[in-house]
Amino acid sequence: MKKAANKTTAKKVAPKYIFVVGGVMSGVGKGVASSSIATVLQARGHKVTAMKIDPYINVDAGTMNPTEHGEVFVLKDGLETDQDMGNYERFLNTDLPRINYMTTGSVYLSVIEKERNLEYKGKNVEVVPDIPLEVIRRIKEAGETAGADVVQIEVGGTVGEYQNVLFLEAIRMMKSDQPDDVAVVMVSYLPVPGSIGEMKTKPTQTAVRMLNNAGVFADMIVCRSPIGVDIKRKEKIAKFCNVKVENVISAPDVESIYDIPLNYEEDKLSFQLSGILNLPNKKSTDLKEWKKFVSRSKSVTVPVKIAVVGKYFNSGDFILSDVYLSVLEAIKYSAYKLNLKPEISYLSAQEFSDKKQLKKLKDYDGILVPGGFGLTGIDGKLNVIEYARKNKIPYFGICYGMQLMVLEYAQNVAKLKNASTAEIDAKAEHLVIGIMDEQKEKLAQKNMGGSMRLGQYPAKLTKGSVAAKAYKAELIEERHRHRYEVNPDYVPLLTEKGLRFSGVSPDGTLMEIAELPKEEHPFFVGVQFHPELKARPLDPHPLFTAFIKTAYEAD
Ligand code: GLN
């Protein structure tokens, strides 16, 4: 009895807050650096939650073109976020809620909505302090929601940018209110110019001064650089940036992003950070499972070759694989689990509108068509799917990749001429992929932001199907992001022609998984949802694992 009473009356200690800001330039991997910091603290036994602040006016990441901003990551509760949230979920092996992500647009929107509701009770509502106060309110709510000991907040952009000034002000205000509970980590960059061959610290010193101008002082500097930082430069940074030399952390380029937490621990990052925040020293870092994963990922030698056929790869002279980041990571985790070396090729769908190019696909063990939108590349994708079906190459279609798989089947097997998807040709004779009723209204009202079918929904699986065998379950929950769906009117015909809808919404109206039986094809599976969003390094996704396994085993 006494114990129970203690439990309910025990006062929860207020969480500590770690802000991660970027110095010098973007693109140095601040997101993975932040994920790694959170990971080593978690491995020390702290309950950590991770947040991301994006400086955009976009209310969420759903309206940003993936070629500009990379993949849109969908949280379990349906918020469309930046891919860094995906890194956090993967590194921490946890689901994060929508309160953990904010943009400038979303913060302003709630302040303006409150103002309209008279919640400011007639007072002037001002950029400062009301915007930073809303940021702080959200940070605290995220901490409470997670019951966290440590809330880590990554501030997007680079110090010195006009766009993140209000977030720096939020840090300053929090630190002045709770000086012992707030730490600031700057992830900076130390170039080694080819012409001199020496690592330069000056840009970092300048970045720290800019941070100081905003009234914020760094407690720790994580030094991204091509090579490790030597003691001489650490001392220089410590002296000119007002941090202890132990709090200058070397973060050289690494072979794999999963090496980063291990590297940080070599410089005792979690120990130092726990010291700065006076966190109870629970235990030493336990990264056993993580280490096992990393060493396995490096020891695999037997290749499995997967072609990912997408439309967002080409941007000028560059290939943008980040657009499908979660898919690529999901493939890797399953391959490692199977002791295989994933060799992933990014193929542009557009090139396959010329059927002569299809023979290139012979070299691959498996083909994956990820999610997508609109007309570009659709002919190429349909040709690729037809080729995979006829040549019995394992095929995995995700979202658009499933809709097009069903469409290809309707056109070429069910012989429905003029079959299409409402997304491309709403007047087509056979709308095999139609629009969901509630979506029709949204489109008519031009209500495009955050209005797709988003987040986690359950699906029932058919016993004995390829999908049910992979999941070893009959009820699953997966995350969605789509407006269109398989038109239920065509389900009887397609089923009669051999396609199996082995996963459906509990009310039976939405087709969530389509597949060909094992006797027809080694693996021909399409899913309306995004399984990649739930794949984790320490917990690979069963459908990806089934796909990769068949790809490796099939002739
Ligand atoms: N464009 C399709 C839809 O809106 C598929 C979306 C996706 O692949 N994420 O339904």
Side-chain angles (χ1 to χ4, degrees):
M1 275 319 279
K2 207 166 172 215
K3 227 178 178 179
N6 272 347
K7 222 179 182 178
T8 46
T9 50
K11 216 174 130 218
K12 174 119 181 67
V13 190
K16 303 283 185 176
Y17 303 94
I18 302 171
F19 288 91
V20 181
V21 298
V24 179
M25 64 185 206
S26 64
V28 302
K30 178 153 53 77
V32 256
S34 307
S35 302
S36 304
I37 297 172
T39 303
V40 293
L41 286 167
Q42 177 173 280
R44 246 191 134 69
H46 301 302
K47 188 154 180 18
V48 183
T49 195
M51 303 179 73
K52 168 89 197 266
I53 301 180
D54 260 337
Y56 308 99
I57 291 290
N58 301 60
V59 172
D60 55 44
T63 51
M64 299 185 211
N65 186 328
T67 52
E68 273 197 38
H69 190 65
E71 172 189 78
V72 175
F73 190 84
V74 184
L75 301 182
K76 179 177 169 182
D77 61 21
L79 188 71
E80 296 167 289
T81 73
D82 172 89
Q83 54 187 320
D84 282 329
M85 294 300 285
N87 279 326
Y88 288 136
E89 288 202 350
R90 289 188 280 267
F91 275 67
L92 297 175
N93 200 4
T94 190
D95 295 337
L96 295 170
R98 59 174 56 223
I99 187 69
N100 284 37
Y101 180 73
M102 69 180 107
T103 64
T104 297
S106 74
V107 173
Y108 268 86
L109 192 63
S110 21
V111 169
I112 292 170
E113 275 168 359
K114 277 189 210 163
E115 184 277 327
R116 293 287 81 188
N117 296 338
L118 267 181
E119 284 176 46
Y120 288 99
K121 301 193 170 39
K123 95 177 180 40
N124 285 5
V125 183
E126 316 221 36
V127 170
V128 177
D130 293 301
I131 297 297
L133 280 175
E134 170 63 14
V135 173
I136 294 169
R137 189 197 65 72
R138 290 183 183 207
I139 291 172
K140 296 207 163 159
E141 188 182 329
E144 269 165 36
T145 307
D149 309 327
V150 178
V151 184
Q152 188 188 281
I153 310 104
E154 177 192 351
V155 178
T158 311
V159 168
E161 266 174 49
Y162 182 71
Q163 299 204 83
N164 55 22
V165 168
L166 292 169
F167 302 119
L168 299 184
E169 180 62 5
I171 306 179
R172 192 197 62 74
M173 286 166 70
M174 270 188 96
K175 179 93 183 175
S176 114
D177 264 7
Q178 299 174 250
D180 300 334
D181 298 335
V182 176
V184 177
V185 178
M186 176 183 268
V187 177
S188 193
Y189 187 70
L190 287 96
V192 184
S195 51
I196 9 184
E198 187 201 329
M199 182 182 286
K200 305 305 283 180
T201 62
K202 204 49 83 47
T204 295
Q205 296 178 38
T206 311
V208 167
R209 294 234 161 92
M210 275 196 276
L211 183 67
N212 297 165
N213 279 346
V216 177
F217 300 86
D219 298 286
M220 175 177 275
I221 301 184
V222 172
C223 302
R224 287 284 300 113
S225 55
I227 49 173
V229 184
D230 61 354
I231 186 67
K232 196 165 162 220
R233 275 156 199 83
K234 278 191 177 180
E235 283 166 358
K236 203 165 172 186
I237 293 168
K239 183 179 280 158
F240 292 106
C241 301
N242 283 315
V243 290
K244 287 193 185 150
V245 72
E246 300 82 9
N247 294 333
V248 180
I249 307 289
S250 172
D253 288 350
V254 280
E255 198 185 319
S256 142
I257 56 169
Y258 303 105
D259 286 327
I260 300 173
L262 304 176
N263 262 16
Y264 283 177
E265 284 313 85
E266 285 189 10
D267 265 6
K268 302 198 169 50
L269 183 144
S270 68
F271 174 79
Q272 287 301 124
L273 210 43
S274 301
I276 292 169
L277 283 168
N278 209 3
L279 277 162
N281 221 339
K282 299 214 169 168
K283 56 174 180 177
S284 57
T285 330
D286 178 5
L287 285 164
K288 240 189 284 113
E289 289 304 307
W290 192 268
K291 275 189 192 146
K292 243 195 251 164
F293 164 78
V294 173
S295 79
R296 182 180 278 224
S297 74
K298 290 184 177 167
S299 66
V300 289
T301 52
V302 181
V304 58
K305 290 177 131 191
I306 305 295
V308 177
V309 182
K311 78 161 184 178
Y312 300 115
F313 284 129
N314 294 337
S315 166
D317 292 341
F318 300 95
I319 297 269
L320 297 171
S321 55
D322 254 19
V323 173
Y324 304 111
L325 183 72
S326 297
V327 172
L328 306 181
E329 296 307 292
I331 294 174
K332 291 182 200 165
Y333 306 153
S334 288
Y336 298 149
K337 178 177 174 164
L338 297 162
N339 262 324
L340 295 169
K341 183 177 180 202
E343 290 184 0
I344 307 172
S345 300
Y346 314 128
L347 306 181
S348 201
Q350 290 88 318
E351 70 174 294
F352 295 108
S353 47
D354 173 7
K355 285 199 173 184
K356 285 205 283 295
Q357 302 298 324
L358 288 167
K359 53 179 185 298
K360 281 188 191 160
L361 296 171
K362 267 207 195 88
D363 298 338
Y364 295 96
D365 300 315
I367 299 170
L368 188 151
V369 174
F373 293 83
L375 187 60
T376 313
I378 181 171
D379 289 340
K381 288 182 189 172
L382 286 166
N383 288 340
V384 166
I385 296 167
E386 181 183 11
Y387 185 88
R389 181 173 56 76
K390 290 187 171 160
N391 292 284
K392 303 213 187 300
I393 303 177
Y395 171 78
F396 193 16
I398 294 178
C399 206
Y400 212 24
M402 178 257 202
Q403 296 174 357
L404 296 177
M405 167 184 148
V406 174
L407 184 56
E408 188 277 327
Y409 208 81
Q411 289 174 345
N412 298 329
V413 182
K415 301 285 178 214
L416 291 177
K417 278 220 179 103
N418 305 323
S420 191
T421 153
E423 183 168 352
I424 304 298
D425 179 6
K427 297 204 175 72
E429 189 183 343
H430 295 292
L431 282 180
V432 174
I433 307 298
I435 181 154
M436 291 185 274
D437 281 343
E438 81 227 35
Q439 289 295 333
K440 247 188 229 158
E441 265 168 56
K442 290 179 181 165
L443 284 189
Q445 296 159 356
K446 290 209 164 53
N447 169 8
M448 304 296 279
S451 62
M452 284 187 244
R453 180 171 177 243
L454 292 168
Q456 190 150 299
Y457 290 94
K460 281 186 313 195
L461 307 185
T462 312
K463 229 183 181 154
S465 61
V466 176
K469 281 190 181 147
Y471 277 102
K472 297 192 179 65
E474 282 170 34
L475 189 69
I476 57 160
E477 291 203 299
E478 291 283 3
R479 299 185 195 176
H480 295 70
R481 181 172 188 251
H482 64 119
R483 273 187 217 287
Y484 301 89
E485 55 149 343
V486 174
N487 182 344
D489 296 347
Y490 288 91
V491 168
L493 174 70
L494 292 166
T495 310
E496 187 198 307
K497 296 290 175 190
L499 197 62
R500 300 279 173 265
F501 291 98
S502 55
V504 293
S505 58
D507 66 0
T509 58
L510 296 170
M511 300 304 117
E512 300 280 25
I513 307 181
E515 65 178 62
L516 280 179
K518 198 87 188 164
E519 311 78 63
E520 300 289 322
H521 196 289
F523 193 98
F524 195 67
V525 177
V527 292
Q528 182 57 79
F529 44 83
H530 290 272
E532 71 275 18
L533 302 177
K534 284 179 76 173
R536 309 263 166 84
L538 303 185
D539 188 15
H541 194 285
L543 265 184
F544 276 88
T545 306
F547 167 59
I548 303 290
K549 186 166 190 286
T550 327
Y552 174 67
E553 286 168 356
D555 299 329

